[in-house]
Amino acid sequence: MAETRKASRFIVPVAVAGVAAATIGLVPALAASGDPDLPEITAQQLIEKIAASDTQTLSGTFKISTDLGLPSLGGLTSGLGGGGSASADPTEKLTALVAGSHTLRIAADGPERQKLTLIDGSDEYTLIHNGEDVWGYDSTSNEVFHEKGAGAGPGAEKGEELPGTPKQLADEVLKAAGDTTSITVDGTAKVAGRNAYQLVVKPKQTGSTVESVKIAVDAATGTPLKFTLSSVEGGKPVVDAGFTKVDFAKPAASEFTFTAPKGAKVTEGAAEKAAEEAGGEHGKLPEGFEGGFPGLGKAFGGSGEGMNVIGEGWTTIAKLDTGAPAPKTDEAPKEIQGFLDSFGDKVTGKFGSGTVFKTKLVNALLTDDGKVYVGAVTRDALVDAANAGK
């Protein structure tokens, strides 16, 4: 079981959860002009091909572009005291992938050895998992993060995983497939110089913010090569992650060895954890905002009524009751107030009034009486759920 958990966190997850044939569109793939001319295949057959894929080794380059439709953080980071020194801790470094476009180099040799390098101009951040050792190195600050005994992968004790590769992202989408989902094959494509089929996943329900998920699957190996998540709002995809170059040969063992550069500052994961438990000041929020957005901490802390799930499939909504009136944004620090106002819409209904905080994927309605409705659904769907809850 431990080996399976290791594999699922990295480049070579072992299987896609079974999807009932009755829920899958059986439309065969047809090659469009200029695309590879591949044998016809049904969605069921293509998913079985993904599930049967036993890719254990690969190396290459891929790009990730993320556009959640959020306003610029601007001065918010400095307002929260986030302008501290650089760190090689993957928990901090990999958060850069949630916005903008990034290029990464990867290498994998089974569940025990993986390497990821995040390239930002001339600066690089490298994360290596080799057996029980996890190393993170930031070339900008010449800092090293090391954790020993992290057998389930980098940062496992913190609940942190490497960013999703196309394979990992595909697994998550296919696990969720059911009678609320349409899955079809829509033509072929060339990805990283490889012939691929295009698997398209769409919600059957109305009210979801997801327009479609497209997964390019390598025709020879069944390995997903590219993942594109599009919003009903249109514009740039929410997530567009795909290989631009890939090689399935076994990488050299030297790819996964690491020696701290001379003069580098080395931080051990266990020591860092102890510092956090001692109440370190790094990244502390302004007074009154320690729980994130005031009032939400109570809900997540379990002292409110807890969480209820409304609906199913792509239009599932989580309802939380903080047990307290919603905070007034005009009482927040100036930096936070401006940020919240820039992506919040005031709404009213039978439930009363509140604010919808919106992105291209996940929206949240915070009512003035302290209830929170969150889901990958439209603003109208959240308001309807709140009205039904009254």
Side-chain angles (χ1 to χ4, degrees), residues 7-13 58 61-66 94-98 102 104 106 116 127 160-173 224-229 239-243:
S8 68
R9 287 179 175 267
F10 297 105
I11 307 302
V12 286
L58 60 77
T61 304
F62 69 91
K63 291 186 177 181
I64 298 177
S65 296
T66 308
L94 297 183
T95 56
L97 299 179
V98 303
H102 305 275
L104 303 100
I106 64 170
L116 180 152
L127 182 62
E160 181 249 325
E161 303 178 5
L162 284 175
T165 66
K167 169 72 169 167
Q168 290 172 310
L169 295 169
D171 286 352
E172 293 305 311
V173 171
L225 300 175
K226 187 173 183 180
F227 175 96
T228 305
L229 170 61
V239 179
D240 192 16
F243 287 95

Side-chain angles (χ1 to χ4, degrees), residues 63-334:
K63 291 186 177 181
I64 298 177
S65 296
T66 308
D67 181 9
L68 291 172
L70 288 169
S72 172
L73 295 178
L76 180 61
T77 303
S78 59
L80 293 179
S85 60
S87 168
D89 185 347
T91 303
E92 297 183 23
K93 298 302 294 187
L94 297 183
T95 56
L97 299 179
V98 303
S101 297
H102 305 275
T103 299
L104 303 100
R105 293 194 302 265
I106 64 170
D109 182 11
E112 290 291 333
R113 286 171 290 278
Q114 300 87 30
K115 180 179 181 179
L116 180 152
T117 302
L118 172 61
I119 305 167
D120 185 7
S122 61
D123 299 326
E124 294 187 356
Y125 174 74
T126 300
L127 182 62
I128 297 174
H129 169 224
N130 191 349
E132 291 190 346
D133 288 293
V134 172
W135 295 95
Y137 176 62
D138 180 16
S139 69
T140 305
S141 62
N142 197 30
E143 291 192 15
V144 175
F145 172 88
H146 177 237
E147 192 158 33
K148 187 88 173 172
E157 292 183 1
K158 301 176 186 180
E160 181 249 325
E161 303 178 5
L162 284 175
T165 66
K167 169 72 169 167
Q168 290 172 310
L169 295 169
D171 286 352
E172 293 305 311
V173 171
L174 295 174
K175 285 177 187 178
D179 57 10
T180 63
T181 304
S182 165
I183 305 181
T184 60
V185 179
D186 184 20
T188 63
K190 276 279 190 182
V191 178
R194 309 273 305 183
N195 292 338
Y197 292 105
Q198 299 270 35
L199 187 69
V200 178
V201 182
K202 289 186 175 184
K204 291 182 179 179
Q205 302 159 297
T206 59
S208 173
T209 54
V210 176
E211 192 278 325
S212 68
V213 175
K214 183 176 288 188
I215 305 163
V217 182
D218 185 67
T221 67
T223 305
L225 300 175
K226 187 173 183 180
F227 175 96
T228 305
L229 170 61
S230 299
S231 167
V232 294
E233 289 190 10
K236 295 180 180 179
V238 177
V239 179
D240 192 16
F243 287 95
T244 58
K245 181 180 179 181
V246 65
D247 186 341
F248 293 103
K250 182 176 180 176
S254 59
E255 281 287 313
F256 309 105
T257 60
F258 179 81
T259 301
K262 185 177 181 180
K265 175 185 176 182
V266 180
T267 300
E268 295 292 335
E272 183 178 73
K273 182 177 180 181
E276 291 175 356
E277 292 174 348
E281 294 295 317
H282 179 70
K284 185 176 180 181
L285 293 172
E287 183 177 356
F289 282 77
E290 292 85 352
F293 196 77
L296 295 187
K298 185 175 181 180
F300 289 107
S303 56
E305 294 183 9
M307 183 178 74
N308 295 317
V309 176
I310 303 169
E312 62 176 348
W314 298 84
T315 55
T316 299
I317 296 172
K319 177 186 177 182
L320 304 167
D321 192 337
T322 68
K328 297 180 179 179
T329 59
D330 57 5
E331 296 177 356
K334 182 176 61 177

